[in-house]
Amino acid sequence: NGNGNRNGNSNGNNNSGNSNGDLQPWEVGYAANGGFLAPAFAGDSVATWSPPLSDDGRENAIWLDEVQVHEMEPALHKDVIGGWWFPEDASVDARRLTCALRAACVERGVQFLHGN
């Protein structure tokens, strides 16, 4: 399928935290390493759905057939009939992002109220 990077929907970490695992508050686990694959099964919503165009009118997903999907992610179930691959998709670690947002808010004087 010519995608170059065959990592599928893996969650790597492109942040530069030091070797002992300490992370800076702004390191949110951003990963842009091969996109996201949404596998489809016969009759499910992924198989019958078509992703919207990007803001500039470009297609931002590519339909892969059964063979291409299994080349990208060999461990997927045999009943997968294809899937949408979003090559430009990236992700963050939601826990890290939440902590970074909280730290930024507290630094700017926001007070969080808990309870009833």
Side-chain angles (χ1 to χ4, degrees):
N1 63 24
N3 66 47
N5 187 335
R6 299 177 95 64
N7 290 336
N9 60 358
S10 62
N11 283 329
N13 183 348
N14 291 341
N15 290 319
S16 60
N18 64 35
S19 61
N20 68 6
D22 292 337
L23 296 172
Q24 298 300 319
W26 57 86
E27 293 176 334
V28 295
Y30 177 79
N33 59 354
F36 175 79
L37 175 64
F41 295 85
D44 75 5
S45 61
V46 176
T48 59
W49 175 75
S50 182
L53 298 176
S54 66
D55 290 340
D56 62 1
R58 294 182 307 121
E59 291 185 0
N60 57 6
I62 302 165
W63 176 258
L64 303 178
D65 65 25
E66 173 185 359
V67 172
Q68 292 170 312
V69 166
H70 283 101
E71 286 176 355
M72 184 177 277
E73 293 288 348
L76 286 176
H77 195 275
K78 64 179 179 58
D79 290 345
V80 170
I81 61 164
W84 289 104
W85 178 52
F86 298 83
E88 296 178 8
D89 204 45
S91 64
V92 297
D93 181 314
R95 294 166 298 180
R96 290 183 187 171
L97 178 60
T98 301
C99 290
L101 290 172
R102 183 183 185 285
C105 289
V106 168
E107 183 178 308
R108 286 161 182 79
V110 173
Q111 293 181 342
F112 291 91
L113 305 176
H114 301 277
N116 297 358

